[in-house]
């Protein structure tokens, strides 16, 4: 890669001669990107008006001056004839060239990111103060987005022609996420689902399209789409049709002898039917949806006629045919010119008080049926999946009290005070069908609850009915085990959804996010999300999210999770590897998205615990090391006893592996945890002393200096007289090794301890010496050279100047304090660190406040507050806001309500 190259898709990045270049200020960066997207030279006057409306040409001159300071600018920046242009290549150029040549896969590889998916042009750049420029930016994003959709559809056609149905289906769903009204893509999905044997999913896709077209455009699907639908329906498996007219409770199918714990639910259903006319009972198989519908039908049949349909996957014509047969009017139905109108008239004449559609799996057929029946007709649907536009009553497991009552009714003995029976209800998830099986098994086999509990404690799905139980055969129809009951839901799943279900059985908890499932199955996050959502729609999983969070996880019902584990023979090694990969991705891409790790932490710790228990120290070390990278997550959330124990075990494991480098890293993080999170100074000191011993074995003098300075600080806090000896030893070692950075750390610690003792003159002296040491090798820190300074040195330079300013402020040396703080501010801004900038703004406000210059103080305080809010530094924000209120400063209007955990120290805190 020669010359200047720009990455314009996603967050803009610059490269010169294949090396990364630090980005200029946002508007200068936007100017550079604009020129890269415009191949012809741009007049200076045009650029001035576009980027600085009403401004002066000096603004453009200054921007070009800044751009000329970038590497290689003499080669790639030209200003001919009062114009400006650049010579550069970009990913947008590569994308458009591949698209023009019909190389769709290549084009998509440029546009898409394997983690984040589709990219956005110039992500993060805005031009709010430049209306014409903002308009151009939006138009350019729209133009490229349409080209991206063109590439997606081109690749989709290639995959379909090649017969790669599964890959084509994934891509088609991706297209719809960007263009949901694309009917051709909806047809592709219908064809592909049917080709994969998922005819019910194809029918559901048609219903989604129909609803979208109707709600958005007031249109019906095209004739081509209807023709495809008919073909799929003709080839779909048929459900054995049952439709019956019920005139008395005795004629109701599946009517239970008792409905334990469902009285209030029955009343809710009656109330909703009165309110909405149409509604659905939705829930996991075996929870009693059909029994509830049967009870409603029995009650209603005492006042009038009920029509009962067992729908399954049947298409509309099968449902209508069944109704005609139930009313003994099939001949006329067959001869009618319009079957739908015929059934409408039939229902108007017979006027059933209630229509029950049991086990509705074909969403489109149900939607069509609802459009046919008279408007005043009451309709009750039962289904394992949700149906759009239908008010829903969720049928869940029983309460514990009702579960024990149900279990007791089948054993003919009172189990309400039986602790083993309560535990049995627990592992069976208080699930009505499972409890019925358990009760019959207890009665027929003569078992105690403890004996049955012993059978089921690890695999509750293995509960089977006694072969001789006629009672069970009559009450459960085709079900003879929980496994069979679950299988009826699993057998209807598309292959990728079934694989997702089984994969969760490998995990250490019954819940996961799409991010973890994607690692487990080596598929994209969007594909994993689709599969999990399908499990949720079919009632096999619960969808969970915390208030205020956009992170969604899915939890398998306990029985389903047990079955998935058993069918997998539970392969935890695979899950542990996926957790390790998840953590690697988390560290690389989402190191501060703590909410994602919140919901997956138990899987991560489960993987670490498995690795510890099964003599896999490398996996344990890898997972725990990634969990404490930067100490970010546990600093924010705190350790649990289990995570802290695993961190300690990981230290031991790393030592066993002979990986002293990692062992030192982990034990140092352990010390940080004891010091910062648990305020256990003694255990922190012990951990740092352990880390010091490891570092000495590694012959790493720099880290030895750092650790000795930390140990000295902790000894000071504990009142141990050896603190000065440790810091002196660190000082002498840094001097001997000519370790300027390490020496600056020692001096900063000495400055910190002097500040704690309020010896501010001494603190100032140490800071000045630290500054001299740091600048010895980096005397020039202009923006053009700052990128060459190591990050650790930059951090030390910043904090030394910051703390020097604090020490000078405390001595009321306001002028020199402000000068020092301005130097620190420049460094923070050069390196685009908003929190550093906020800290300086607040300290400068403090200096002006101490001088009584309230207007200047308020200006800096408000800038600090703005930065704290923008960067989720809620603790810092709240602390400063409280100070302002206390001293009668006005507050900005928007104060964040969500608590975060970022916090700064008044004086320097050192990190390894």
């Amino acid at each position: 890669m020669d010359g200047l190259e720009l990455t314009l898709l996603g967050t803009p990045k610059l490269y010169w001669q294949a090396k990364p270049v630090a980005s200029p200020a946002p508007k200068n960066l936007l100017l550079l990107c604009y020129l890269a997207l415009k191949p012809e030279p741009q007049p200076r006057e045009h650029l001035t008006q576009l980027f600085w409306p009403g401004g002066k040409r000096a603004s453009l001159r200054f921007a070009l001056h800044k751009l000329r300071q970038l590497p290689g600018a003499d080669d790639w920046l030209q200003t001919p004839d009062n114009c400006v242009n650049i010579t550069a290549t970009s990913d947008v150029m590569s994308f458009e060239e591949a698209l023009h040549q019909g190389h769709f896969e290549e084009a998509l590889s440029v546009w898409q990111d394997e983690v984040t998916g589709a990219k956005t042009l110039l992500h993060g750049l805005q031009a709010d103060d430049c209306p014409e420029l903002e308009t151009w930016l939006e138009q350019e994003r729209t133009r490229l987005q349409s080209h991206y959709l063109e590439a997606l559809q081109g690749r989709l056609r290639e995959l379909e022609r090649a017969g790669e149905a599964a890959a084509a289906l994934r891509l088609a769903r991706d297209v719809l996420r960007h263009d949901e009204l694309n009917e051709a893509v909806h047809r592709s999905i219908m064809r592909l689902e049917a080709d994969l044997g998922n005819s019910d999913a194809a029918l559901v896709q048609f219903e989604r399209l129909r609803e979208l077209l109707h709600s958005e455009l007031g249109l019906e699907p095209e004739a081509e789409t209807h023709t495809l639908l008919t073909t799929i329906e003709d080839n779909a498996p048929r459900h054995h049709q049952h439709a019956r007219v019920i005139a008395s409770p005795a004629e109701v199918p599946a009517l239970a002898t008792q409905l334990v714990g469902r009285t209030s639910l029955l009343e809710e259903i009656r109330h909703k039917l009165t309110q909405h006319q149409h509604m659905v009972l939705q829930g996991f198989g075996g929870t009693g949806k059909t029994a509830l519908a049967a009870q409603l039908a029995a009650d209603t049949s005492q006042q009038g006629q009920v029509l009962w349909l067992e729908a399954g996957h049947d298409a509309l014509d099968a449902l209508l045919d069944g109704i005609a047969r139930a009313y003994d009017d099939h001949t006329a139905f067959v001869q009618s010119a319009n079957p739908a109108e015929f059934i409408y008239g039939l229902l108007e004449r017979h006027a059933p008080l209630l229509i029950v559609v049991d086990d509705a799996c074909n969403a489109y057929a149900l939607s069509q049926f609802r459009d046919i029946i008279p408007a005043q007709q009451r309709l009750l649907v039962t289904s394992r999946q949700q149906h759009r536009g239908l008010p829903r009553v969720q049928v869940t497991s029983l309460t514990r009290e009702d579960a024990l009552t149900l279990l007791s009714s089948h054993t003919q003995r009172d189990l309400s005070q039986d602790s083993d029976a309560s535990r049995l209800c627990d592992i069976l998830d208080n699930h009505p069908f499972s409890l019925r099986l358990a009760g019959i098994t207890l009665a027929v086999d003569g078992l105690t609850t403890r004996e049955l509990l012993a059978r089921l404690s690890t695999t509750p799905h293995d509960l089977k009915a006694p072969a001789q139980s006629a009672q069970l055969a009559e009450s459960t129809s085709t079900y003879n085990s929980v496994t069979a009951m679950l299988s009826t839901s699993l057998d209807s799943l598309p292959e990728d959804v079934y694989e997702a279900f089984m994969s969760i059985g490998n995990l250490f908890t019954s819940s996961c996010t799409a991010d973890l499932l994607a690692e487990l199955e080596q598929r994209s996050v969007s594909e994993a999300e689709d599969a999990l959502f399908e499990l949720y729609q079919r009632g096999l999983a619960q969808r969970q999210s915390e208030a205020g969070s956009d992170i969604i996880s899915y939890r398998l019902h306990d029985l389903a999770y047990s079955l998935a584990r058993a069918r997998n023979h539970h392969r935890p090694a695979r899950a542990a590897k996926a957790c390790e990969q998840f953590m690697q991705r988390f560290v690389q891409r989402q190191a501060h998205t703590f909410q994602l790790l919140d919901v997956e932490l138990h899987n991560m710790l489960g993987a670490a615990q498995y690795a510890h228990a099964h003599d896999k120290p490398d996996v344990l070390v890898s997972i725990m090391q990634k969990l404490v990278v930067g100490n970010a997550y546990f600093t924010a959330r705190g350790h649990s006893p289990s995570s802290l124990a695993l961190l300690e075990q990981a230290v031991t494991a790393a030592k066993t592996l002979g990986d002293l480098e990692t062992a030192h890293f982990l034990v140092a993080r352990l010390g940080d945890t004891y010091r910062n999170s648990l305020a256990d100074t003694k255990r922190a000191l012990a951990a740092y002393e352990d880390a010091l011993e490891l570092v000495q074995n590694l012959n790493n003098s720099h880290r030895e200096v750092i650790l000795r300075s930390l140990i000295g600080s902790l000894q000071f806090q504990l009142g141990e007289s050896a603190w000065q000896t440790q810091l002196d030893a660190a000082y002498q070692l840094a001097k001997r090794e000519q370790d300027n950075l390490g020496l600056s750390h020692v001096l900063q610690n000495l400055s910190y301890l002097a500040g704690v003792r309020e010896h501010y003159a001494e603190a100032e002296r140490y800071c000045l010496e630290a500054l001299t040491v740091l600048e010895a090798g980096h005397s020039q820190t202009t923006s053009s050279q700052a990128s060459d300074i190591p990050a650790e040195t930059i951090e030390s330079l910043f904090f030394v100047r910051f703390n020097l300013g604090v020490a000078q402020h405390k001595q009321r040396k306001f002028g020199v304090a402000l000068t020092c703080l301005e130097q620190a501010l420049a460094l923070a801004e050069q390196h685009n660190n908003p929190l550093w900038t906020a800290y300086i703004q607040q300290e400068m406000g403090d200096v002006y406040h101490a001088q009584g210059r309230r207007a200047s103080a308020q200006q800096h305080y408000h800038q600090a507050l703005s930065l704290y809010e923008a960067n989720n530094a809620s603790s810092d924000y709240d602390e400063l806001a409280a100070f302002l209120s206390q001293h009668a400063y006005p507050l900005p209007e928007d104060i964040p309500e969500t608590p975060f955990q970022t916090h700064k120290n008044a004086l320097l805190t050192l990190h390894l």
Side-chain angles (χ1 to χ4, degrees), residues 242-481:
H242 292 286
R244 68 188 75 189
V245 177
I246 297 169
S248 70
E251 299 171 359
V252 178
L255 185 61
T257 55
Q258 62 174 340
L259 278 176
V260 175
R262 298 306 196 192
T263 303
S264 61
L265 194 57
L266 276 170
E267 289 305 313
E268 181 184 354
I269 296 167
R270 290 191 181 98
H271 179 66
K272 281 203 171 183
L273 269 175
T274 302
Q275 282 186 315
H276 302 289
Q277 297 295 107
H278 296 184
M279 62 167 295
V280 62
L281 304 182
Q282 190 260 329
F284 184 50
T287 53
K289 302 181 297 295
T290 298
L292 283 163
Q295 187 61 56
L296 265 294
D299 294 344
T300 305
S301 69
Q302 298 183 59
Q303 285 82 44
Q305 192 182 91
V306 175
L307 177 62
W308 184 283
L309 302 174
E310 295 179 10
H313 293 275
D314 286 338
L316 177 66
D317 59 350
L319 295 177
L320 301 184
D321 182 84
I323 294 172
R325 291 178 186 277
Y327 283 112
D328 293 326
D329 216 348
H330 187 255
T331 301
F333 168 74
V334 172
Q335 295 173 348
S336 66
N338 189 322
E341 285 185 4
F342 180 88
I343 294 298
Y344 179 90
L346 193 66
L347 293 174
E348 272 206 318
R349 287 195 307 276
H350 291 281
L353 296 180
L354 177 66
I355 298 177
V356 177
V357 178
D358 188 38
D359 192 27
C361 300
N362 187 327
Y364 179 54
L366 178 62
S367 175
Q368 290 176 303
F369 182 68
R370 291 178 61 205
D371 289 340
I372 287 172
I373 64 178
Q376 73 276 11
Q377 180 66 62
R378 290 199 304 164
L379 175 68
L380 179 63
V381 179
T382 74
S383 180
R384 292 189 180 117
Q385 63 192 54
Q386 295 184 38
H387 293 272
R388 297 181 181 183
L390 271 177
R392 178 182 59 158
V393 170
Q394 187 78 34
V395 183
T396 60
S397 297
L398 298 170
T399 65
R400 178 54 50 82
E401 181 181 357
D402 290 331
L404 287 168
T405 299
L406 179 59
L407 192 61
S408 298
S409 70
H410 288 290
T411 60
Q412 300 300 309
R413 60 180 188 263
D414 183 8
L415 300 175
S416 61
Q417 303 303 314
D418 186 332
S419 61
D420 291 326
S422 182
R423 174 62 181 148
L424 185 61
C425 292
D426 187 42
I427 68 167
L428 293 177
D429 206 28
N430 301 313
H431 185 273
F433 174 68
S434 306
L435 292 166
R436 186 163 63 251
L437 285 180
I440 294 170
T441 302
L442 288 168
V444 174
D445 287 353
L447 298 173
T448 66
T449 52
R450 179 163 297 184
E451 288 169 337
L452 182 57
L453 188 62
R455 289 187 187 181
L456 305 177
S457 59
T458 56
T459 54
H461 63 276
D462 276 345
L463 175 62
K464 290 184 172 60
Q468 66 270 33
S469 175
Q471 176 190 358
L472 179 69
E474 292 174 358
S475 65
T476 63
S477 183
T478 58
Y479 294 137
N480 63 3
S481 71

Side-chain angles (χ1 to χ4, degrees), residues 745-759:
H745 275 285
V746 178
L747 292 166
Q748 289 175 75
N749 264 288
L750 290 168
S751 172
Y752 171 78
L753 297 180
V756 169
R757 290 175 290 151
E758 299 184 358
H759 296 172

Side-chain angles (χ1 to χ4, degrees), residues 116-143:
T116 61
K119 301 174 183 175
T120 300
L121 177 68
L122 304 183
H123 177 72
L125 287 185
Q126 299 296 333
D128 297 332
D129 58 340
C130 308
E132 289 187 28
L133 183 59
E134 185 70 18
T135 299
W136 168 83
L137 183 56
E138 290 303 316
Q139 290 174 343
E140 196 68 8
R141 285 171 175 165
T142 301
R143 181 183 72 83

Side-chain angles (χ1 to χ4, degrees), residues 710-759:
L710 281 169
I711 289 169
S713 296
L714 292 180
Q715 289 174 332
F716 172 85
Q717 293 177 39
L718 291 170
E720 296 183 9
S721 59
W723 72 271
Q724 188 69 58
T725 302
Q726 279 287 5
L727 286 166
D728 287 344
Y731 183 91
Q732 294 302 325
L733 178 60
K735 280 279 194 180
R736 184 172 68 249
E737 297 295 329
Q738 298 182 340
D739 180 3
N740 286 345
L741 187 59
L743 182 57
S744 76
H745 275 285
V746 178
L747 292 166
Q748 289 175 75
N749 264 288
L750 290 168
S751 172
Y752 171 78
L753 297 180
V756 169
R757 290 175 290 151
E758 299 184 358
H759 296 172

Side-chain angles (χ1 to χ4, degrees), residues 621-622 625 650-651 654 659-668 694 698:
V621 169
S622 175
Q625 181 185 27
V651 170
D659 186 355
L660 300 187
E661 180 73 25
T662 300
H664 157 259
F665 172 86
L666 292 173
V667 78
L694 291 167
L698 290 167

